[in-house]
């Protein structure tokens, strides 16, 4: 997970070419590939942290998401997106990570916030992705960008499922099952002309 994410972040066009040799890697595709790749690194780090404790995993997911958003900002800037909403998310996730690490907020509350953010935002983005594109004033995405965006959203949902499954079962293995259930799916080749994008 870490290696795949790191290589895709370093070379988004090369990674796109591996899976879609005829695709045009436009600015939007590269931006989504980079945030997807950064989230893969966060997922890998969260899995490692979960081997120590669920609390460590939750704090890592918050801080990691802040770093992933920050790392993706230059790519989204090329699309003319306003930076203020991203800045708010970066600061909010960084603050929650700090509060969770320090124990300022209870572990139960930190977990509920983390899972809630992942589940709610991902569900909205899966059902009505156009709301996200419009909210961030993004140009209409290409077919490739839509598919990569979908992968990012499913991975974000999988990360929430990973934390929730460990919380409910106390088993890291069940967390990995929940994460795998969202990331290993045929919808990575989703028809990008689906009405929810239109």
């Amino acid at each position: 997970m870490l290696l795949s994410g790191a290589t895709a972040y370093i070379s988004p066009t090369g990674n796109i070419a591996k899976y879609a040799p005829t695709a045009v890697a436009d600015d939007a595709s590269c931006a989504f590939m980079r945030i997807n790749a950064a989230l893969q690194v966060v997922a890998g780090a969260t899995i490692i942290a979960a081997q120590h404790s669920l609390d460590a995993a939750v704090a890592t997911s918050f801080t990691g998401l802040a770093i992933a958003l920050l790392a993706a900002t230059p790519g989204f800037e090329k699309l003319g997106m306003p930076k203020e909403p991203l800045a708010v998310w970066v600061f909010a996730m960084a603050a929650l990570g700090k509060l969770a690490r320090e124990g300022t907020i209870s572990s139960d509350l930190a977990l509920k916030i983390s899972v809630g953010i992942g589940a709610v935002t991902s569900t909205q983005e899966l059902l009505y992705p156009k709301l996200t594109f419009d909210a961030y004033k993004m140009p209409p995405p290409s077919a490739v960008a839509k598919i990569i965006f979908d992968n990012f959203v499913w991975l974000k949902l999988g990360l929430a499922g990973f934390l929730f499954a460990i919380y409910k079962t106390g088993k890291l293995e069940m967390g990995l099952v929940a994460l795998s259930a969202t990331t290993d799916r045929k919808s990575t080749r989703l028809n990008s002309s689906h009405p929810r994008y239109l």
Side-chain angles (χ1 to χ4, degrees), residues 125-196:
E125 288 161 349
L126 287 170
L127 296 175
Y128 303 104
K130 192 172 182 295
L131 289 178
T132 299
F133 297 134
D134 291 347
Y136 288 97
K137 301 178 182 175
M138 296 170 61
S142 66
V144 174
K146 291 172 185 175
I147 291 169
I148 298 169
F149 174 76
D150 260 14
N151 287 340
F152 164 75
V153 175
W154 278 106
L155 179 55
K156 184 156 54 80
L157 184 61
L159 195 52
F162 172 78
L163 296 172
F164 185 71
I166 295 174
Y167 172 71
K168 292 301 282 185
T169 67
K171 297 180 184 291
L172 176 63
E173 296 85 351
M174 294 310 295
L176 293 172
V177 168
L179 178 60
S180 297
T182 61
T183 56
D184 183 23
R185 42 176 241 301
K186 292 183 179 177
S187 59
T188 53
R189 291 176 178 79
L190 178 71
N191 177 2
S192 56
S193 63
H194 193 286
R196 63 199 184 85

Side-chain angles (χ1 to χ4, degrees), residues 66 69-70 73 82-95 136:
L69 290 169
L70 188 60
T73 300
K83 291 186 253 323
E84 293 79 7
L86 283 173
V88 169
W89 276 108
V90 168
F91 285 120
M93 295 300 100
Y136 288 97

